[in-house]
Amino acid sequence: MAGAYGRVGHDPELYRLAAAVGAAEGLLSGVTTVADHHLNWPADATADDTVALAAATVDAVRGLGGRLVFVRGERPGRP
């Protein structure tokens, strides 16, 4: 999966679009709060880059009237 993310790259607009699609699907199903296990931060990103990616995600969900909580966890086998 890391290789796929590396090829595609990380872009705030892509994060915004992906978050909007996911939030819209949830809202249409009655979900009002999304817990995002955000495990795909780029390893070489600066703090400003990660803030921009997170802000794009938050803006998309808020723009649709949903609520978002970022949660942190580790997946097994992650280097």
Side-chain angles (χ1 to χ4, degrees):
M1 192 57 127
Y5 285 127
R7 287 188 300 277
V8 173
H10 297 265
D11 175 88
E13 185 57 24
L14 291 176
Y15 274 50
R16 181 177 289 108
L17 291 171
V21 169
E25 287 180 356
L27 289 165
L28 289 170
S29 298
V31 174
T32 60
T33 303
V34 175
D36 191 337
H37 292 265
H38 223 64
L39 297 174
N40 59 343
W41 300 112
D44 60 345
T46 66
D48 288 341
D49 291 340
T50 58
V51 168
L53 296 172
T57 303
V58 170
D59 290 346
V61 176
R62 281 186 180 166
L64 293 172
R67 296 177 292 184
L68 174 72
V69 177
F70 282 116
V71 295
R72 175 136 168 93
E74 290 295 324
R75 66 177 181 253
R78 184 174 183 187

